[in-house]
Amino acid sequence: MPGLLRGTRGFVLAGLFLSALLVGGGILLSSLAGPAPEDPAANSRGPGPGSAPGRESDGGQEADPGQEPGSNAGEESAAAPNTQPPAAVPDPERPLEVPPGSAGNAAGPLPASRDVPEPMTLISLPLPPADAAEGRLAGGFPEQLVPPAHATEVVSSSVAASGNTLQAGLRATSAAAARDVLAFYSEHFSGLGFQPGAEETVGGTTRAVWSYGTSSVTLSIGPDAGGAALDYSIFAILRAGI
């Protein structure tokens, strides 16, 4: 019996010694292995209660002092509602309305339209046959287009036609002054729509020209005889249909 007790006590002591040896070996191995690795999940979390605002977080980005941990400014901007009104869709059944004072009226009112007179037909076909006369107007002479001036005595006149062209000549004398005869024909031909040309005076003789399309009239006056009868002549080229 005493031998059995001694064997049991020795077995227990051996077990305790073996357990102590295993615990000491584990402590020694953990100290040799170095510090334990950091937990990645702990780094992904925001700064702790004691961290200072504005410091860089573990992710490398600077934290916003006014931004709560875990918030995202980009997500808040994307989630903000659109306050702009929707674009108007034109209605094809309604006419376009332009308000007063819009860009359409910025240029001011359009100028009033002007009636452009159509060119007058000076003479018409058929043209009169050729004729010449002394002391009077020849037969077929275009007196309405080429009338004698006031206080005039006809010396000679003639007409000649070729195709659609009529030539008319008048030679006369007048008791009026040269400027009065020139003023008479200037007013007359301007009233018919003739365009005046340049006037020239050479050797006391004044020459004036008027044109209407391809028709023309040439007046020669003078020289002034100083109280005697004033000689003047007209040569007209008139075309039908113009």
Side-chain angles (χ1 to χ4, degrees):
M1 187 70 179
L4 179 60
L5 292 175
R6 285 192 298 267
T8 301
R9 184 171 52 186
F11 181 77
V12 171
L13 291 176
L16 292 175
F17 178 77
L18 181 59
S19 298
L21 182 61
L22 292 175
V23 172
I27 293 175
L28 180 60
L29 291 175
S30 64
S31 63
L32 294 176
E38 296 181 359
D39 187 4
N43 294 334
S44 63
R45 293 193 295 270
S51 62
R55 299 293 181 90
E56 290 187 358
S57 63
D58 295 338
Q61 297 181 352
E62 185 176 357
D64 187 359
Q67 181 178 346
E68 296 181 2
S71 63
N72 192 335
E75 294 179 358
E76 292 180 359
S77 175
N82 187 8
T83 58
Q84 296 183 356
V89 179
D91 188 355
E93 297 182 357
R94 295 182 60 185
L96 180 63
E97 297 180 359
V98 180
S102 60
N105 298 330
L110 295 176
S113 60
R114 294 179 298 176
D115 295 333
V116 179
E118 295 182 358
M120 180 183 63
T121 301
L122 297 178
I123 56 177
S124 302
L125 298 174
L127 299 180
D131 190 20
E134 297 288 338
R136 62 178 179 84
L137 295 178
F141 189 88
E143 185 176 1
Q144 293 183 349
L145 296 177
V146 190
H150 299 306
T152 291
E153 181 178 353
V154 176
V155 177
S156 61
S157 63
S158 62
V159 293
S162 175
N164 68 334
T165 302
L166 178 66
Q167 296 181 1
L170 171 66
R171 181 170 172 242
T173 59
S174 176
R179 62 178 179 274
D180 295 333
V181 174
L182 179 60
F184 169 81
Y185 283 110
S186 296
E187 181 179 357
H188 172 73
F189 290 122
S190 296
L192 294 178
F194 281 75
Q195 299 298 319
E199 297 180 8
E200 59 179 4
T201 301
V202 178
T205 300
T206 301
R207 181 175 178 270
V209 179
W210 295 267
S211 62
Y212 188 97
T214 56
S215 300
S216 62
V217 177
T218 302
L219 170 66
S220 297
I221 306 174
D224 197 336
L230 177 68
D231 293 333
Y232 73 91
S233 61
I234 296 180
F235 180 71
I237 300 177
L238 309 174
R239 290 183 170 84
I242 300 176

